[in-house]
Amino acid sequence: MKKILYLFIPAIACIFYFGCTDKILDMDIIEIKCKDFTISNPTYDFVSSAICGNDPNYRTVEITFKYNGDRDCIHLVEVDAKFVDTNDTEMSNITHRPLIFKTDSVISISNSTITFKYCYRFASSADTAALSYIRMNFHTENEQQNESNTIGVLIPIPGRNLHPKNYEIKETITVSDIYIDAKIYDDAAEDGDIISLNLNGKWVLENFTLTNEGHIIQLKVNPGENILIMYAINLGSSPPNTGAIEITDSERTHNVVLNSDMGKNQAIKIIY
């Protein structure tokens, strides 16, 4: 890997021409080609794999994301994972690896994507059954510990419900149709916000990076009250995580801006 050394020329001149040997010369090693290395577009999938070991209590989730830059800038992936149970309480007593090196067997790198298998194990089968979702943030580093940007992914466990306490109702709207369109977009500068949407306990949009162009999904609501929650997966470069939702039925359009962070999420109450 090429290293570029920036030398302070006046200091060199001082040493060789003026005998300033009492001066200290500081030299920083900077990996120029890794300066603008970025990662994006995380996806996940639960897989069955013996790569995590022979313990039947291990679970494996496979994470794939894109990168933009020189693959030599990838020395490791550092993962910060929080495991949350059905009572919306962070869980402990978990075996998992926060550092995944490019030489590890659980990681593979192509010319545009990185995929790694993330292994975790709870101390008991009861704890494993109580897991509701995993909130994961990660970045890459090169050998000089220069970090990429941080991205996140929320990984819901199939069949588990979300606890309602971790959100607040931002606005209540009334719709006229059982099927409605919801456009989710960033109404300010795009800064890498990633969100997931949950309607009545079911994930309807997962790990979407907000853009000004946005994305339209069709929702089916139930008679009575419905709760649409925007979960912040990361906070982008300008916290909090702000997303605009445009909800359209056959009669009108409602525009709501939600602000969510890692501690509290906002929601829309939809009455049909």
Side-chain angles (χ1 to χ4, degrees):
M1 184 180 296
K2 293 182 179 180
K3 312 285 192 301
I4 298 178
L5 231 64
Y6 282 97
L7 304 180
F8 188 43
I9 302 302
I12 296 293
C14 177
I15 291 173
F16 288 102
Y17 294 103
F18 300 102
C20 303
T21 55
D22 60 330
K23 302 294 183 182
I24 297 175
L25 179 63
D26 290 327
M27 295 182 292
D28 292 329
I29 300 177
I30 302 174
E31 192 64 59
I32 293 299
K33 66 182 177 181
C34 299
K35 179 182 177 182
D36 299 319
F37 188 87
T38 58
I39 59 177
S40 62
N41 300 98
T43 60
Y44 73 91
D45 189 23
F46 287 98
V47 296
S48 298
S49 174
I51 202 166
C52 295
N54 297 320
D55 191 322
N57 290 320
Y58 266 115
R59 299 292 185 269
T60 308
V61 61
E62 187 174 81
I63 308 295
T64 298
F65 58 96
K66 295 181 180 180
Y67 70 89
N68 183 26
D70 194 314
R71 65 185 297 167
D72 286 342
C73 297
I74 307 161
H75 177 59
L76 61 84
V77 178
E78 183 171 358
V79 179
D80 176 23
K82 293 184 176 12
F83 299 80
V84 182
D85 66 17
T86 51
N87 292 318
D88 206 49
T89 302
E90 187 174 345
M91 306 174 72
S92 57
N93 298 322
I94 306 150
T95 302
H96 61 105
R97 294 180 57 190
L99 297 178
I100 300 168
F101 292 88
K102 69 177 182 181
T103 54
D104 292 342
S105 59
V106 297
I107 192 170
S108 61
I109 303 171
S110 74
N111 289 330
S112 60
T113 63
I114 301 172
T115 298
F116 65 91
K117 291 180 174 61
Y118 190 75
C119 310
Y120 64 93
R121 180 187 182 277
F122 287 96
S124 69
S125 57
D127 285 341
T128 304
L131 179 63
S132 176
Y133 63 88
I134 305 169
R135 188 192 295 273
M136 183 184 295
N137 287 303
F138 54 90
H139 64 262
T140 64
E141 294 182 14
N142 65 2
E143 291 183 283
Q144 282 69 48
Q145 297 183 321
N146 302 132
E147 298 179 4
S148 72
N149 59 305
T150 297
I151 60 174
V153 60
L154 189 144
I155 306 168
I157 307 304
R160 308 285 163 77
N161 293 324
L162 291 172
H163 195 278
K165 74 177 184 180
N166 196 30
Y167 67 84
E168 61 182 10
I169 301 295
K170 173 68 179 295
E171 193 165 329
T172 299
I173 65 173
T174 300
V175 297
S176 303
D177 306 309
I178 192 170
Y179 289 100
I180 57 177
D181 288 336
K183 179 182 179 181
I184 176 73
Y185 62 98
D186 196 329
D187 65 341
E190 295 181 7
D191 65 339
D193 287 340
I194 300 176
I195 61 97
S196 287
L197 290 180
N198 187 279
L199 177 64
N200 299 332
K202 295 182 179 180
W203 297 102
V204 293
L205 183 65
E206 296 186 48
N207 304 302
F208 174 71
T209 301
L210 291 173
T211 64
N212 296 143
E213 180 181 0
H215 179 68
I216 298 175
I217 58 175
Q218 188 179 70
L219 304 176
K220 180 181 180 181
V221 294
N222 300 322
E225 294 184 353
N226 301 264
I227 304 297
L228 180 65
I229 311 170
M230 187 181 83
Y231 277 78
I233 311 305
N234 72 338
L235 296 181
S237 59
S238 301
N241 202 321
T242 302
I245 301 182
E246 184 179 278
I247 295 178
T248 304
D249 61 15
S250 60
E251 295 185 359
R252 65 183 67 86
T253 295
H254 307 268
N255 289 284
V256 182
V257 176
L258 300 179
N259 296 288
S260 297
D261 59 30
M262 306 307 284
K264 195 71 176 180
N265 302 289
Q266 289 193 330
I268 304 171
K269 180 185 291 186
I270 304 171
I271 300 175
Y272 169 60

